[in-house]
Amino acid sequence: MKPSPLEIYKLLPKTNCKKCGLPNCMAFAVRLLSGQAKIEDCPDLVEREEFRENYEKLKELLGERPAAEVSLPRIDNEEACNGCGICVVVCPANARADPEVGSGKGASRKEGLIFVVVNGKVKIMDISKCRRQEDLTTCRVCEEFCPNNVIKIG
Amino acid sequence: MRSFHNVICTGCSLLCDDIQVTVEGSHIKEILNACSKGCSRFVSDPKEGRLLSPLIKRNGRAEKASLEDAVKETVEILKTSDRPLLYGWSNCVSEAQILGIKIARKIRGAIDATSSFCQGVVYLAACEAKGYHTVSLGEVFNRADLLVFWGCNPADAHLRHFSRYTFFPRGRYRQTGFEERDSILIDVRESGSAKIARTPLIIEPETDYELIQTIRAIIKGHEILHGKVSGVDFEKVKSIADKMVNSRFCVIFYGLGLSGTKGTYRNVSALLSLVDDINRRGTRCAVIPMAGHFNMVGFNRVLLELTGYPYGVDFHDGSAYWNPGETTAFDLLKKEEVDALVVVGADPVSHFPRKIAKYISEIPTIYIGPHVTPTSAVSRVSIPATIAGIEQEGVAYRLDGLPLKLKKIADPPDGVIPDVAILEAILKRL
Ligand code: SF4
Ligand code: SF4
Ligand code: SF4
């Protein structure tokens, strides 16, 4: 059974000390769950005696389990892409990075976006923004709506 | 290296105005946001397939000539002709279209565009349906919650239609974009757009009229006795009619699959009546024809403004006269009435039936345009022109009728001048 982020959060120091590099313990819990962070990234948990028990429990919960694979979209068949821009507009992460893109207008810059159409073909610029990785959603609308089956997830 | 922002693409009548182009010298390096169709218009090799010098055919052989001589020869042909026709106009800026109309008026010729058998028929249909409801694309993406694609396939012909203007954009009153919209595709086959449309409706060929009138009858509350309409179960047709009247803002896009099949403009006029019926039921509903070439709508609008008629206008007796089927290019050429033809930015030899193409090669033809085409090959005089929107600025009308100013972003090949200047020179000498 996969633990919930809340279960993991309960075992963390809950001090939001930011030493792991994330804004709060909840965000760290989510990352732990997705395998994008290790328990050892939290120094307090490892070093301080009062967390020893929690540390062990966490290791039990997450430790042996291989980090969850997040499959991200990739361009499978660039030849077939006709630059229709549907992926660019439909992707919620693209729309969050640039609301103008979300309302249909083409990108005014390439940085910080996932999909951009360059010279009539789609290009993936910054896949780390994908919500499957950032927020662990099950989003796959880019794959679903590409009329030419260019984008594949998994 | 220079960057141009918000360049307008002339790849199709959507005239996407958000293209970024990086130019190095006269070489286009990078194009951002344009679809592949638009890109191929921007990056076509400036020399490849271009007409670079005026040509005049003497004794069956095309010889290089000066622009001066080519214009002189053109004027000579037009002056001695009794029934000249000026054809094309969908791929050039409206400034050129206006000059074309002036020339036609002066030489008492006929003028027509490619739209006479394409989307121009909406005007003919509108005469019958007493006008029509339409909207701008901006309104579509901000408000529309039901999109109907009838006999058109934007996924192949207007590539950014779904993403830029209709189904996917998050608009002011449709903040989550496609989640708040529904779409219906009505066509005779499962086209590329069927993947996008929530409800594809595949009907039997040439039964559009029947389907439209059935939906009208349902909306008006009449009883339908048949189990099947246009090859589709009645229940399904009823659900579509219900969707239309129950939506808040329904926009219907139609293409040649409706206006170019059996019934032609009568299909369109029935559709316009359907739109009117839906509006009477309190649902906002509008129709937008899917024009093809980038300034096809411009020609109709300009001609309508200057003569009162949208296409196929004949100035034979000195005043504008319009009678589709008589004064339209196709019919004039089919009846072999035309004795001199001016083609501006079109290629009738490849697009018309073989018999008409042969006739065009027999009469004196003048071709004005950027590329070498089968039409330029049979022309008596060919004059090279710049490419609108890349080497030449000017006004073009988007498919919803919005005029936009095209930019000049690259220099034309040496000695090649805009069609506007060529037509001006011709008009001055007539
Ligand atoms: S999966 Fe969703 S968030 Fe990720 S790239 Fe595709 S559309 Fe964007
Ligand atoms: S990847 Fe698919 S959706 Fe994206 S631009 Fe290419 S064809 Fe369109
Ligand atoms: S949809 Fe049409 S206007 Fe827009 S980029 Fe493509 S070809 Fe150009």
Side-chain angles (χ1 to χ4, degrees):
Chain A
M1 247 298 271
K2 196 177 166 182
S4 72
L6 205 65
E7 274 175 74
I8 297 194
Y9 172 74
K10 281 185 187 149
L11 297 170
L12 294 177
K14 298 190 279 277
T15 50
N16 298 339
C17 69
K18 301 189 177 60
K19 287 185 199 154
C20 60
L22 291 167
N24 51 52
C25 292
M26 191 63 200
F28 184 58
V30 172
R31 293 276 167 132
L32 277 179
L33 202 57
S34 69
Q36 289 171 294
K38 329 191 269 306
I39 311 175
E40 289 71 27
D41 290 344
C42 173
D44 285 359
L45 204 57
V46 181
E47 286 154 22
R48 289 186 29 196
E49 199 50 45
E50 66 252 52
F51 298 125
R52 171 81 34 200
E53 200 180 318
N54 286 3
Y55 180 37
E56 295 302 327
K57 270 196 198 152
L58 272 173
K59 273 210 274 194
E60 207 173 295
L61 266 178
L62 301 161
E64 305 317 318
R65 203 171 50 90
E69 270 301 307
V70 180
S71 46
L72 294 176
R74 64 194 153 79
I75 295 169
D76 186 50
N77 178 13
E78 200 195 66
E79 277 303 290
C81 174
N82 59 16
C84 69
I86 289 176
C87 54
V88 178
V89 176
V90 80
C91 169
N94 252 17
R96 184 153 61 177
D98 186 347
E100 287 236 305
V101 169
S103 62
K105 209 158 182 279
S108 53
R109 60 189 160 86
K110 287 195 265 180
E111 303 75 41
L113 294 173
I114 299 183
F115 299 110
V116 179
V117 174
V118 183
N119 294 338
K121 298 269 176 209
V122 71
K123 293 272 170 310
I124 290 188
M125 304 308 296
D126 182 2
I127 197 66
S128 72
K129 292 269 188 315
C130 175
R131 297 189 61 180
R132 295 174 67 80
Q133 176 164 319
E134 277 224 315
D135 311 340
L136 295 175
T137 64
T138 51
C139 175
R140 56 196 315 147
V141 285
C142 52
E143 181 192 55
E144 183 186 335
F145 283 113
C146 170
N148 302 310
N149 302 321
V150 176
I151 299 170
K152 285 268 147 33
I153 296 178
Chain B
M1 202 156 72
R2 289 180 66 196
S3 268
F4 294 89
H5 293 261
N6 300 336
V7 175
I8 294 171
C9 171
T10 51
C12 73
S13 57
L14 282 182
L15 294 175
C16 296
D17 54 359
D18 55 358
I19 317 296
Q20 278 192 47
V21 187
T22 314
V23 185
E24 209 171 58
S26 63
H27 176 68
I28 291 181
K29 264 197 86 186
E30 189 183 80
I31 303 157
L32 211 60
N33 304 330
C35 70
S36 54
K37 198 172 170 189
C39 280
S40 61
R41 191 162 165 98
F42 279 110
V43 292
S44 62
D45 187 347
K47 296 278 172 323
E48 204 175 302
R50 283 297 287 270
L51 191 61
L52 291 171
S53 146
L55 301 171
I56 299 178
K57 212 175 244 177
R58 293 211 169 84
N59 307 322
R61 282 194 43 215
E63 290 165 17
K64 279 193 181 175
S66 68
L67 184 65
E68 176 81 21
D69 287 346
V71 169
K72 228 186 254 167
E73 180 82 16
T74 303
V75 170
E76 216 42 57
I77 293 171
L78 292 181
K79 272 187 176 160
T80 52
S81 144
D82 286 328
R83 199 95 174 90
L85 168 68
L86 293 87
Y87 175 78
W89 310 108
S90 295
N91 275 317
C92 53
V93 296
S94 289
E95 287 86 341
Q97 294 167 344
I98 293 172
L99 284 166
I101 298 164
K102 283 187 182 158
I103 294 176
R105 202 184 278 273
K106 191 142 192 183
I107 60 176
R108 298 196 166 198
I111 184 163
D112 196 8
T114 45
S115 67
S116 64
F117 36 84
C118 195
Q119 297 317 334
V121 296
V122 71
Y123 297 97
L124 192 55
C127 293
E128 220 164 70
K130 303 188 186 74
Y132 74 106
H133 302 263
T134 189
V135 284
S136 72
L137 289 173
E139 231 176 316
V140 176
F141 93 75
N142 276 326
R143 293 169 193 271
D145 66 345
L146 177 63
L147 305 160
V148 183
F149 301 95
W150 200 312
C152 61
N153 182 11
D156 279 350
H158 298 78
L159 296 176
R160 293 184 67 200
H161 195 270
F162 293 124
S163 70
R164 174 103 166 86
Y165 300 105
T166 53
F167 193 55
F168 293 105
R170 296 160 183 80
R172 174 167 294 193
Y173 303 107
R174 296 284 168 258
Q175 299 238 344
T176 52
F178 72 94
E179 289 164 13
E180 283 176 75
R181 301 186 211 266
D182 201 351
S183 52
I184 300 170
L185 180 87
I186 301 172
D187 208 341
V188 294
R189 67 194 172 93
E190 188 136 329
S191 66
S193 303
K195 193 174 173 192
I196 310 292
R198 295 233 157 99
T199 320
L201 190 71
I202 309 300
I203 60 169
E204 275 172 14
E206 318 213 303
T207 57
D208 301 83
Y209 189 80
E210 186 183 327
L211 182 63
I212 297 170
Q213 298 295 26
T214 310
I215 297 177
R216 289 187 68 195
I218 295 171
I219 289 175
K220 292 197 166 164
H222 295 302
E223 197 186 341
I224 309 289
L225 300 174
H226 292 279
K228 265 187 186 293
V229 184
S230 305
V232 181
D233 284 339
F234 172 72
E235 283 311 312
K236 189 134 194 226
V237 176
K238 176 141 194 330
S239 77
I240 285 192
D242 289 345
K243 268 190 183 173
M244 286 180 176
V245 283
N246 294 333
S247 68
R248 286 182 164 183
F249 193 155
C250 165
V251 182
I252 305 177
F253 296 90
Y254 77 85
L256 278 173
L258 178 75
S259 61
T261 55
K262 188 177 152 200
T264 61
Y265 81 94
R266 298 302 297 267
N267 290 342
V268 181
S269 74
L271 185 73
L272 300 183
S273 306
L274 167 64
V275 169
D276 195 42
D277 292 345
I278 297 174
N279 274 300
R280 280 172 204 275
R281 288 283 304 265
T283 299
R284 179 92 172 83
C285 183
V287 63
I288 299 182
M290 297 281 263
H293 299 301
F294 82 85
N295 203 12
M296 192 182 250
V297 175
F299 179 78
N300 296 142
R301 296 276 165 123
V302 167
L303 194 60
L304 202 55
E305 174 77 30
L306 293 180
T307 68
Y309 302 114
Y311 60 90
V313 170
D314 193 356
F315 293 99
H316 193 57
D317 57 4
S319 56
Y321 169 66
W322 177 55
N323 188 10
E326 181 192 343
T327 59
T328 34
F330 183 82
D331 304 279
L332 286 172
L333 286 164
K334 200 168 130 202
K335 285 181 283 177
E336 308 199 342
E337 270 183 40
V338 178
D339 63 355
L341 176 67
V342 180
V343 176
V344 182
D347 187 10
V349 169
S350 342
H351 299 147
F352 278 149
R354 184 154 335 141
K355 192 156 170 274
I356 294 183
K358 185 162 171 288
Y359 180 67
I360 293 176
S361 65
E362 284 161 6
I363 55 173
T365 299
I366 298 121
Y367 170 84
I368 301 174
H371 296 105
V372 177
T373 62
T375 304
S376 75
V378 303
S379 295
R380 173 89 57 95
V381 183
S382 349
I383 309 178
T386 51
I387 302 179
I390 300 175
E391 301 161 353
Q392 173 195 355
E393 52 179 29
V395 172
Y397 286 68
R398 197 167 69 183
L399 93 174
D400 58 345
L402 181 80
L404 293 165
K405 185 116 172 83
L406 307 180
K407 288 182 186 172
K408 177 181 169 177
I409 56 167
D411 291 325
D414 277 344
V416 175
I417 61 168
D419 45 11
V420 176
I422 301 167
L423 292 166
E424 240 161 23
I426 295 171
L427 181 63
K428 211 151 79 202
R429 281 161 189 261
L430 279 166

